[in-house]
Amino acid sequence: MIPILFEDAEALVINKPGGLPVEQPRAGGPSLDAQFPSLRLGFQREPVAVHRLDTDTSGCLLLARNPKALTRFSRAFEERQVSKLYYGVLAGVPEQTEGTVALSLSKISSAEAGWRMIPAKKGKPAVTHWQLIEVQAGLALVAFRPETGRTHQIRVHAASGIGIPLLGDPVYGAGPKGPDGARIKRTMLHAAGLRIEREGKEPVIAHAILPADMRALGFAEPAGGFAEPDVADQAADSED
């Protein structure tokens, strides 16, 4: 059963496992949406994902429980009323302890390598604020607060902006091999916090603790958790 982090008549926020795609891949196999019937929880309709997380990314995923809620939540993303906090493990230690990456992003593709996002002056504006949390064995746990929400934003901004890719990233990093030669099963990125403002109602607030595979690298749950983020997300695209 998928852990539920927040529930009311409009919304569910679930803790998505890393490595599980939200939608079923073309080649088939397990997917999160196959479990949506079990998340009705007495409601007539299955919940619908409002935004996207990459297959490897774990953590907070917002589901709408009815069409009106889906419209309102989608609008909240568009109007910058959603804030997100991510934790990622960098495959190295940055020289600075905090900063802001502002690199516009554009999508490219080729028959040989498939598609990916690259920094490009004529791309869509993308801004990510980051802060170093902890260092363990040559790896760094970093908090990311995306100000925009472009596809693969955090992954590209880590690799091309900070200059160190996320551990395990097969596209923008060294892939599944860790610094000690151990196999890394996924890109180490976790959607730790989500806050959505709602007119006339209390905001949706959810926090997903640091997953076991990140803790196994020696990192502890950061103090304070997810409280009042000061940077709002801009779009409903996947930013990881």
Side-chain angles (χ1 to χ4, degrees):
M1 183 68 179
I2 300 295
I4 296 174
L5 305 172
F6 177 93
E7 177 183 2
D8 71 4
E10 291 186 336
L12 292 174
V13 180
I14 61 174
N15 191 356
K16 175 190 168 301
L20 182 67
V22 175
E23 299 177 351
Q24 187 176 55
R26 293 182 180 179
S31 62
L32 184 64
D33 59 5
Q35 301 189 41
F36 284 175
S38 68
L39 292 172
R40 288 182 180 176
L41 305 177
F43 279 59
Q44 183 177 4
R45 294 183 176 90
E46 295 178 13
V48 177
V50 179
H51 59 121
R52 298 187 296 273
L53 292 177
D54 280 356
T55 295
D56 274 0
T57 304
S58 57
C60 297
L61 180 70
L62 173 64
L63 308 180
R65 305 187 83 170
N66 60 66
K68 289 184 179 179
L70 177 60
T71 299
R72 284 196 296 271
F73 289 141
S74 297
R75 186 183 305 120
F77 276 87
E78 295 169 1
E79 296 178 353
R80 305 189 185 190
Q81 295 175 346
V82 179
S83 299
K84 294 182 180 181
L85 169 68
Y86 286 77
Y87 293 133
V89 178
L90 298 182
V93 180
E95 294 181 0
Q96 298 178 325
T97 58
E98 62 182 10
T100 296
V101 178
L103 287 175
S104 297
L105 301 177
S106 182
K107 183 178 179 179
I108 63 169
S109 63
S110 67
E112 299 78 16
W115 70 272
R116 60 189 289 151
M117 304 299 291
I118 61 169
K121 290 183 179 180
K122 294 184 179 181
K124 293 182 179 181
V127 178
T128 304
H129 307 279
W130 65 274
Q131 182 178 15
L132 178 65
I133 302 297
E134 185 182 354
V135 174
Q136 291 286 348
L139 304 175
L141 180 67
V142 171
F144 296 96
R145 292 187 184 273
E147 188 175 325
T148 51
R150 308 306 180 194
T151 301
H152 292 185
Q153 175 175 316
I154 292 174
R155 294 167 64 185
V156 180
H157 279 183
S160 298
I162 300 175
I164 305 173
L166 291 170
L167 183 66
D169 194 325
V171 177
Y172 308 104
K177 198 171 185 180
D180 59 354
R183 178 174 175 78
I184 304 299
K185 294 183 179 180
R186 69 177 180 105
T187 302
M188 287 292 165
L189 186 62
H190 176 64
L194 182 69
R195 180 186 176 99
I196 305 120
E197 301 299 331
R198 296 190 290 185
E199 185 177 354
K201 292 186 178 183
E202 291 295 316
V204 174
I205 301 176
H207 176 71
I209 64 170
L210 206 66
D213 53 2
M214 289 188 179
R215 297 197 306 271
L217 296 170
F219 297 109
E221 172 70 17
F226 184 71
E228 298 289 339
D230 55 6
V231 176
D233 199 12
Q234 176 174 297
D237 293 341
S238 171
E239 63 283 294
D240 47 33

